Amino acid sequence: DNDKDVNPGATEVCDGIDNDCNGQIDDGVLTTYYVDADGDNYGVDNAATNKSGCTEPTGYSSAAGDCDDAQALAYPGNAEVCDGIDNDCNGQVDDGVTKNTYYKDNDGDGYGDDKNTQQACVPADSTWVAQGGDCNDADKDMFPGNVEICDNKDNDCNPATPEPGQTTYYQDLDGDGYGNPSVTKAVCGAAPAGYVAQSGDCNDNNKNINPGAIELCDNIDNNCINGIDEGPTATWPDKDGDGYGDAKGTVQYLCEVKPGRADNNTDCDDNNKNINPGATEIPGNNIDENCDGKDTAAGTLCGKDSTSATSLPYTYVAGYLGVGDENTGGPLGANYYWDDVEVSTSAGQTFTSLFGRRNRSTLTPRLYRYSANSCTAGAVNSVGYSLGSPSGALRSRIATTNSAAGYYYHVLTTNAANQTGDYNFEVFPGNVGGSCGNLTSYVLWPYGRRIVDSLLAGDNPPTTSPIPGGPAGGFKTVDMESYLRAGTTYTWLQGGSAYTDRLYVTREGACGTSVGTSSSGITNGGARLVYTPTQAGVYTMWATTTVANTTGAFSANLVQGNVGESCFTGVGNGTGSGSGDAYVLWPLGGSNTQSLGIGDRVDTFLGTRFHDDWETYLEPNETMYIRVTRTSGTFTPQIRVMQAGACQTTLATSAAVSGAVANLSYTVPAANPGAIFTILVTSTTISQTGGYTIQTSYSPIP
């Protein structure tokens, strides 16, 4: 009666008191607790060990159902995992989980046999492991990752790993102690049966053939060294077949020198049969033909001038014989001035050497050419000849065919003692003067040197020519040859005759095919042909007529440039200008009629004066005389002279006087090599017109 919470109407609670005064303590409210030995909060329901109470004793749990109270991972509601335990206490071990693969490890090296496996969550015993890959499960020294040693085992289970310290042995079928290098075994320790340590046997089926055998001259490689029958003779490759072996080749000892081999190794270029110690050196071509380690300097083999022609065509510009040159020791002895030139050649060349006067000098040229690669032997010479040149341009010519490799020594001298003067010397590829036609000495050279000749009754063309009808056609012809450079413009001129001229031009190798022809183009009578070759070479001018069986004298020339169109081409820059003219006067002589008026060219440097332009070619020291006479109108004529390349620079002008006649003479300076000149006819005052005649001559006009 001291506790107000204890009385017959109170609710019994688990507190160790008889709350409802029914004579029983904690009746109906006690909790049963189960032994929980593994501490997983689930105990084992066992009447002998169960306890009832109001509070949970230590080591007990209020939940029963633990299927393994010695395993904390086994209890109702736990998630099942692969560990060999019935984690969820459903009576099944490892149900519904993915199992592990275990490999049998019989040799205990920690790696199992890939061919002997089981699926389980835990290995059945210590002979099952999680790592496979063992290549030999009966040998604990063979497993992946092991260190490879030389024991004839695959220690690391990787066939690609070489065993350190292995020895390669070679199969020896014939038992001669030398093995076949193509059949090998690499092992640790002694050689396998039938194998030897020595390689090099080139025939393992014959015990008499091996590197230790003596080589015999029996067409067999007895000693397996350097091929068949190496003998006492050292040989080297000779690919170009010139008898000289490759300096960089490999020696081979043979019983005899065989084709493709040589008994020396002195060839410095075994791909070129023209290069070897026995070849002739070609000076100055940057090639060491004779394998002496250098290219011979051109011009140093014979001469005094160190002058050389290492490539063709070759031009010796502004030559001079006189004081300062040698006048002893030449081919003609004392008092003959001379220069020299060495012409470098390769085998089989044809070339033409031309030596002549320049600028109307008075010397008579004489040209010597010696035999190939000689400074003294086999001299041939040519004395200058005229071809009727009014300027006295004597020419010496020597053609060399099928040349030897090396050089040809030339001496340039005079035909008489103590002669001096300017000269030209050129060397051209080909036979200039002998490639087409009948006349082997006729050359139009130097350019711009007029020749005078005649068509004679016997001047019938050869079988191959551009002349109509051939030898029986009745047309007479004289053929003259020149060397032309590609891309350069040239003008052939033929005139000064009493008949109508015609000229043809052909190229070497096609002597019957004309590349151009003309029977007009010269205002005072004659034929003019302007040509720009696309191929360099020897070209022939065939001088003939338009009428068969016509004979008589004529003049001919070959000029660099366009005679007739070198100045004042096209429309002028003055008001009302017409086009320029293509009038050509060559050779000078005779009279021509023309007029000044509307349609003629006008240029501002002359004001508004009409003008006509007439062109000709003049040689050094040559004088032209010009007279213009008015025939109608009231203008006073004026004459001007210009040179091609400086068309608005007046070199000479007629006197500006009143009247109907203007006269002018002009002499080409000696230093001028010759040029195209323009005769410009105009009036003394502007805008004057009228007719006129023009007379020209190389001598004063009466």
Side-chain angles (χ1 to χ4, degrees):
D1 194 32
N2 293 318
D3 187 345
K4 65 178 180 175
D5 294 321
V6 178
N7 56 72
T11 299
E12 190 70 22
V13 295
C14 195
D15 56 1
I17 298 173
D18 180 10
N19 303 90
D20 59 1
C21 294
N22 67 349
Q24 298 181 53
I25 297 174
D26 297 331
D27 54 310
V29 294
L30 291 174
T31 299
T32 301
Y33 294 97
Y34 310 93
V35 173
D36 180 14
D38 56 11
D40 57 6
N41 295 321
Y42 285 87
V44 178
D45 187 3
N46 186 339
T49 58
N50 292 344
K51 290 184 178 182
S52 295
C54 293
T55 59
E56 184 177 275
T58 300
Y60 281 76
S61 172
S62 61
D66 197 334
C67 56
D68 186 352
D69 202 32
Q71 174 56 261
L73 297 177
Y75 54 87
N78 193 16
E80 190 71 25
V81 296
C82 190
D83 57 1
I85 300 171
D86 181 12
N87 304 90
D88 57 3
C89 290
N90 69 348
Q92 300 181 54
V93 177
D94 297 332
D95 56 309
V97 297
T98 301
K99 295 180 171 58
N100 301 318
T101 300
Y102 292 95
Y103 304 85
K104 190 66 172 176
D105 180 18
N106 289 316
D107 57 10
D109 58 9
Y111 290 83
D113 185 355
D114 288 343
K115 298 178 182 178
N116 190 355
T117 65
Q118 64 173 211
Q119 300 295 312
C121 288
V122 294
D125 54 42
S126 62
T127 64
W128 294 90
V129 294
Q131 181 66 51
D134 199 332
C135 53
N136 187 342
D137 200 35
D139 190 334
K140 65 179 181 179
D141 293 326
M142 298 173 66
F143 58 86
N146 195 17
V147 177
E148 193 72 29
I149 61 175
C150 193
D151 57 1
N152 294 323
K153 297 179 181 180
D154 186 7
N155 303 94
D156 62 356
C157 290
N158 182 358
T161 304
E163 289 202 1
Q166 275 190 328
T167 301
T168 299
Y169 295 96
Y170 306 87
Q171 188 177 54
D172 181 17
L173 293 176
D174 56 14
D176 59 5
Y178 294 88
N180 183 349
S182 299
V183 183
T184 65
K185 282 187 178 181
V187 299
C188 296
Y195 284 75
V196 293
Q198 181 65 52
S199 177
D201 199 333
C202 55
N203 186 343
D204 202 32
N205 294 307
N206 188 332
K207 67 180 180 179
N208 296 316
I209 298 176
N210 56 66
I214 297 174
E215 185 69 19
L216 304 175
C217 290
D218 57 359
N219 203 35
I220 296 174
D221 184 10
N222 308 93
N223 64 359
C224 299
I225 300 173
N226 294 330
I228 296 173
D229 290 346
E230 72 271 13
T233 302
T235 68
W236 288 266
D238 180 18
K239 290 185 291 186
D240 56 16
D242 59 4
Y244 295 87
D246 189 351
K248 299 177 181 178
T250 301
V251 65
Q252 183 178 6
Y253 289 88
L254 300 175
C255 295
E256 60 184 5
V257 180
K258 296 183 178 181
R261 309 288 299 182
D263 61 0
N264 63 84
N265 64 336
T266 56
D267 199 335
C268 56
D269 185 349
D270 201 35
N271 293 309
N272 189 333
K273 66 180 181 179
N274 296 316
I275 298 177
N276 57 65
T280 300
E281 185 73 11
I282 300 174
N285 65 347
N286 295 319
I287 299 174
D288 178 18
E289 283 89 2
N290 64 3
C291 294
D292 65 352
K294 63 182 183 301
D295 177 34
T296 300
T300 62
L301 297 168
C302 298
K304 64 182 180 65
D305 292 329
S306 298
T307 303
S308 62
T310 58
S311 62
L312 303 181
Y314 167 79
T315 300
Y316 190 5
V317 179
Y320 175 78
L321 287 176
V323 177
D325 287 318
E326 293 285 344
N327 65 351
T328 60
L332 295 176
N335 300 318
Y336 287 82
Y337 294 105
W338 57 281
D339 285 335
D340 57 3
V341 178
E342 294 172 16
V343 179
S344 297
T345 59
S346 56
Q349 279 186 280
T350 294
F351 62 91
T352 305
S353 308
L354 297 170
F355 171 44
R357 290 178 180 175
R358 182 171 61 86
N359 296 354
R360 296 190 180 224
S361 64
T362 58
L363 62 82
T364 299
R366 187 165 188 167
L367 175 64
Y368 284 81
R369 191 223 66 204
Y370 293 84
S371 295
N373 307 309
S374 174
C375 303
T376 57
V380 295
N381 73 91
S382 170
V383 179
Y385 52 93
S386 172
L387 294 182
S389 172
S391 64
L394 301 184
R395 307 160 177 86
S396 297
R397 171 187 174 273
I398 297 176
T400 304
T401 59
N402 195 26
S403 67
Y407 66 93
Y408 284 80
Y409 182 49
H410 291 64
V411 173
L412 288 55
T413 186
T414 62
N415 198 48
N418 297 312
Q419 286 188 329
T420 63
D422 299 317
Y423 68 83
N424 291 309
F425 177 70
E426 291 191 272
V427 185
F428 296 112
N431 189 343
V432 183
S435 68
C436 291
N438 295 324
L439 303 174
T440 58
S441 62
Y442 270 41
V443 293
L444 282 173
W445 180 88
Y447 306 125
R449 295 299 181 266
R450 174 165 45 117
I451 69 169
V452 178
D453 204 350
S454 294
L455 293 175
L456 304 177
D459 288 335
N460 296 313
T463 302
T464 302
S465 81
I467 306 302
F475 289 94
K476 310 306 175 184
T477 186
V478 171
D479 54 273
M480 296 156 283
E481 298 190 0
S482 305
Y483 183 88
L484 305 188
R485 292 169 169 84
T488 299
T489 297
Y490 300 86
T491 303
W492 279 279
L493 299 168
Q494 178 186 337
S497 62
Y499 45 78
T500 303
D501 300 273
R502 176 178 287 279
L503 67 86
Y504 295 88
V505 174
T506 62
R507 187 178 184 274
E508 60 180 327
C511 299
T513 303
S514 174
V515 299
T517 184
S518 175
S519 60
S520 62
I522 297 180
T523 310
N524 56 335
R528 161 183 171 263
L529 178 64
V530 179
Y531 183 69
T532 303
T534 58
Q535 287 182 284
V538 180
Y539 288 77
T540 302
M541 170 187 169
W542 306 79
T544 185
T545 65
T546 59
V547 179
N549 297 307
T550 302
T551 60
F554 69 91
S555 293
N557 206 340
L558 173 64
V559 174
Q560 282 186 297
N562 186 338
V563 182
E565 295 288 345
S566 67
C567 284
F568 307 113
T569 59
V571 177
N573 57 14
T575 302
S577 174
S579 296
D581 305 304
Y583 302 148
V584 176
L585 297 171
W586 190 92
L588 299 179
S591 175
N592 292 271
T593 300
Q594 197 48 260
S595 63
L596 293 176
I598 303 299
D600 283 328
R601 182 172 167 127
V602 178
D603 286 284
T604 54
F605 83 101
L606 291 174
T608 56
R609 289 181 283 186
F610 301 110
H611 65 81
D612 290 334
D613 55 280
W614 308 73
E615 294 193 6
T616 191
Y617 186 89
L618 297 177
E619 301 178 32
N621 285 326
E622 200 163 44
T623 300
M624 66 173 170
Y625 296 86
I626 312 159
R627 174 174 295 166
V628 174
T629 303
R630 184 183 70 223
T631 58
S632 65
T634 60
F635 75 97
T636 298
Q638 183 184 75
I639 307 168
R640 294 173 179 241
V641 174
M642 292 88 164
Q643 181 175 325
C647 299
Q648 294 189 10
T649 300
T650 301
L651 301 175
T653 308
S654 62
V657 296
S658 61
V661 179
N663 290 290
L664 180 65
S665 65
Y666 176 74
T667 301
V668 180
N672 189 322
I676 301 171
F677 289 88
T678 298
I679 303 167
L680 193 145
V681 177
T682 185
S683 59
T684 56
T685 56
I686 63 173
S687 302
Q688 290 186 317
T689 62
Y692 67 90
T693 60
I694 179 170
Q695 296 171 270
T696 59
S697 177
Y698 294 109
S699 57
I701 300 173

